Amino acid sequence: MKKRIAGVAVAAALLTGCAPSTNAPATSGTDEKTGTLRVWLFDEPNRTPKEAVIKAAVEEFQAAHQGVTVDVQYIAVETRAERFKGAFNDPASAPDVVEFGNTDLAEYVNAGGLADIGADLDGWAEGADLAADLRASATVDGTAYGLPWWVGVRALHYRTDVFTELGLTPPATLAELTATAKTIRQRKPDLFGVAVGGKYTFGALPFVWANGGDITALNSAQSRAGVTAYTDLLKDDNCPPQQCADLTGGKTVELFAGGKAGMAILGNFNRAAVEAGTVKGKYAVVPLPGVTAGSIAPAFAGGNNLGVMKNTPRRTLAADFLKLLGSKNYQLKMFDAMGNLPTLTSARTELAAKDATLKPFLDTIAAGTKFVPVDPGWGAIDSQAVIPTMLQNVATGRSTVDAATDEAAAAVSAALKK
Amino acid sequence: MTTIDAGPAVKGRARTLTPLWLLLPAAAVLLPLFVYPIYQLGLLSVLDFRQAQVSGGQPTRFIGLDNYTDLMSAPRFWSVLWATVLFAAALVLVTLAVGAALAVLLTKVSRWAAYTLSLAAMAAWAAPAMTGSTVWMFLFDTNLGLVNRVLGWEGHNWTYERLDAFALVGAVVVWHSFPFVMVTLYAGIKALPEQVLEAAQLDGANPWQSFWRVTVPMLRPIIAIVVIQSIIWDFKIFTQIYVMTNGGGIAGQNLTLNVYAYQQAFASSEYGLGSAIGVVMMLILLAVTLVYLRLLRRSGEPL
């Protein structure tokens, strides 16, 4: 009997010892002023110009800080989730400064991986130049965890040659956009009126926002009006569901660049791809119109932040390097290199005077942008394809707008509640 | 004589213990490799375990069967489960039919033809699932695919309709898995004593009868292995669905349980929920396999 109890005790000890591992990324407590500062930045297609800018920043930083070397690693965007999870779980191999997508922020904060940099931003001379809606996109529960580094917004691209030939003018409202798209498709059946996709979440959301709806209330009357307006474009008289229901945003870029669409909702960051296509010199850009004439549909403020890892042993150095990369000087250099729009208002004003092609995008930002819920649940909503499923269900006629939005709203609230 | 006569008591004891001793090396390998992960899977499935818990941002909580009730109350789960079961059943039947037909064919054709057929099958078998799926998708591409061009169906989207998409993915899965069935059954047929088949022929059995009445019953143990292997394989299908239907098809119409688990759980860092789906899958597979073995046993000699 005794033996059996001992056996059970040993087994129990073994079992608890085998519980899933949890690491606490506590602050390291030290703040070293020398050594290697490790930086993770996103690898991007055609990274060379970005690398050149970063190299200049590293040299400037190392010259100003004796005994410090900056080690920059470029991580692949597709596998960033695994890399970050690894960094949170194993502080020894984690970087000090990181670049990350602003939609990933809440998940990282919830995991306890990022440091509060609110005080650093407040004490920084250029910090006041940061627009409030952008700073809010890197803030969770009143605490700032990131410095918005660059933003990207989408606007309506249209084919000037097609519009001239058919005697069309750029649409002033969303309703006009639909009518114009259908006219193009009718007169030129080999073109999609406006290229839209069932998986193009950030192309569809402006329709929802322009109608007064939001992601957190997808089954409200306003959101439904937006979903109806967008899915009406996924019809045979504009973009047949057979071909468009499964399209992603990236595919609509290809379609427009390849001359297969009269219009498309593309980002300023897609410029290189569009310029490389057959439509070069044959297109123009205007802000995506809202519901009433003269208004602009709120765009999604996508972009990347810079942050400091919570467990960094070089807290001060990390914050200094972050402020250097985020300064107006380097934001402008990053624009020249990669076309990323600066987050500092004065930098954008300077650019607007210099580059007329940016006007529609800067006007869109000035009109106010929207963001996804800053909540760790957004990651789940995204990977469970809640919004694409809703759009595709309506576009393929498998579900009514009411039923599809109800289902999506339930999934969103379930994910945000956790 | 004297060496084996160690007395009845010792003999009995040794007899009961010897198999255990012999099993020990296998157990030493299998226990850590299988029991520990399964234990972890079961444990995770009763915890609230997400990224925040893995990296220590929040404490891990025991939540009992909440993950399971969440899962069972999702209508999506049930539709995906049914689709997976039906899809897997169809795949097993088709794979077996194709594999068996070709195995029989191999025994009838000339040596040269048999070599060619085996080589082609081996190539399909050796192709990684990812590569195979991608190549098939090139062939069936909506705008640029060879198949659409040959048929003159330009613009036809093969993954738009649910059944079309399942059929296309199913074809790729069968293409990937029939060689195993074919080779195994061919080896089995080759090992059958020729006299039996000859006797059947002399008794006036036609090829169809001798296949169903003689070959199949004698191959039962091999068929059992092939069937179980196929069930497990096809029930857990992931790569082909994920690659060919872009992660589950339009509005998730082509989700199978494994892809669903990945999408709902692991891509969303909901490890607890994902483990619950894993446990459910494991139980279903165990049940199916046990029932199948049971049926086999009842219908004839032990395997």
Side-chain angles (χ1 to χ4, degrees), chain A residues 18 23 25 85 110 242 383 392, chain B residues 40 55 58 157 251 268-269:
Chain A
C18 301
N23 290 301
K85 283 172 193 175
N110 193 45
Q242 270 263 356
S383 51
Q392 292 176 330
Chain B
Q40 279 280 351
S55 49
Q58 280 171 24
N157 185 349
S268 325
S269 304

Side-chain angles (χ1 to χ4, degrees), chain B residues 34-103:
Chain B
F34 290 101
V35 175
Y36 179 70
I38 290 173
Y39 158 71
Q40 279 280 351
L41 192 72
L43 180 64
L44 283 182
S45 73
V46 292
L47 298 176
D48 176 25
F49 201 64
R50 287 170 282 140
Q51 182 52 41
Q53 280 78 21
V54 178
S55 49
Q58 280 171 24
T60 306
R61 271 185 318 128
F62 174 77
I63 51 167
L65 295 178
D66 280 9
N67 283 326
Y68 292 94
T69 45
D70 274 5
L71 192 62
M72 304 292 170
S73 61
R76 197 71 194 268
F77 167 74
W78 293 103
S79 71
V80 169
L81 180 62
W82 270 114
T84 312
V85 169
L86 294 177
F87 186 49
L91 286 179
V92 171
L93 288 177
V94 176
T95 312
L96 237 70
V98 172
L102 289 176

Side-chain angles (χ1 to χ4, degrees), chain A residues 282-294:
Chain A
K282 289 190 284 191
Y283 74 99
V285 186
V286 289
L288 183 69
V291 174
T292 56

Side-chain angles (χ1 to χ4, degrees), chain A residues 37-41 54-55 58 70-74 321:
Chain A
L37 189 71
R38 284 180 299 182
V39 181
W40 277 8
L41 300 177
I54 300 302
K55 211 171 151 231
V58 167
V70 180
D71 170 29
V72 180
Q73 263 193 48
Y74 292 90
F321 190 67

